[in-house]
Amino acid sequence: MSVSSSGTIVAGLTAAALGVVGFLAYQASAGIPDSPPVKDRPSASASPDPGSTPKPGAESDGKQRSAVPADSGTGLRVVYSLSERRVWLVDESDRAVRTYEVAPSPVDPPPGEYAVTSRAESLVGSDGVPIEHSVVFTSVDGVVIGFSAAVDGSTPDADAQDRTGGIRETREDGAAMWKFAQAGTKVIVVG
C-alpha cells in the first residue's frame, strides 16, 4: 500500500467519523430545548395580551384555579399544594403567571418555606427515568425533592416501593418552571 492511498483512507475515515459525530450532536440537540436566559423570568410588569388565549398546559385540567393559596406567603415564589397536587408560579405582585397539576413523588416534603438549591438541565432521576429541567428545593431523610419532567412523559408510580422525590410535570410545564425558578427562588409547600 502506498503512502498516498493510506493517507486517502485515513482522510476518508476521519470524514466519516466527523459526519457521525455531527449527526449524533444534531439528534441530541433536536430533542432537548435550549435553556432560556434568566432575563426572561416573568416580572411584575409582565402581563398576558388581553386578546390571547391561555398557553397549553397553563390550566392543564381546564378548571379555573388561578387563585394562589392564601397561606403561601408573598412575593416571587413557587407554591406547591400537596392536597391539590398543583403548582403556582407567582410573580412579585402576587399574581399567578402559571398554574398546573403535577404528579407527586412517593416522598412528600413537609409544608413550609424552602428555596431552590440546585438545578440540572438533564439527568437521570432517582427512579432511573431520564428527566429534564430538574429544580431541587429540599431533601427528606436523604431523599432529594424537586420538580422535573420525564423526557418520555411518564409519571412516578404511586405504588412503587422506591423512596423517590421527583414531583413530575409535563415537559411544557417543566420548561416554564425551569425559566421561572432560578437558584434561591422561594418554594412554599402548603398542605
Side-chain angles (χ1 to χ4, degrees), residues 16-37:
L18 289 173
V20 169
V21 169
F23 176 74
L24 292 174
Y26 169 77
Q27 276 189 319
S29 68
I32 300 173
D34 292 337
S35 175

Side-chain angles (χ1 to χ4, degrees), residues 14 50 52 56 122 132 166-167:
T14 302
S52 68
S122 64
E132 63 186 3
I167 303 161

Side-chain angles (χ1 to χ4, degrees), residues 7-9 32 49 54 57 84 90 101 108 111 114 117 148 150 155 159 177 188:
T8 303
I9 291 171
I32 300 173
D49 178 21
E84 292 189 46
V90 184
E101 288 186 330
D108 283 335
Y114 305 91
T117 57
S148 63
T155 58
D159 299 324
M177 172 71 78
I188 310 297

Side-chain angles (χ1 to χ4, degrees), residues 104-108 156-158 160-166:
S105 60
V107 177
D108 283 335
D157 180 0
Q161 300 298 334
D162 295 333
R163 292 177 40 83
T164 60

Side-chain angles (χ1 to χ4, degrees), residues 3 37-39 52 85 105 109-111 119 142 169 175:
V3 174
V38 173
K39 68 181 174 93
S52 68
R85 298 178 173 193
S105 60
R119 296 163 27 104
E169 309 161 296

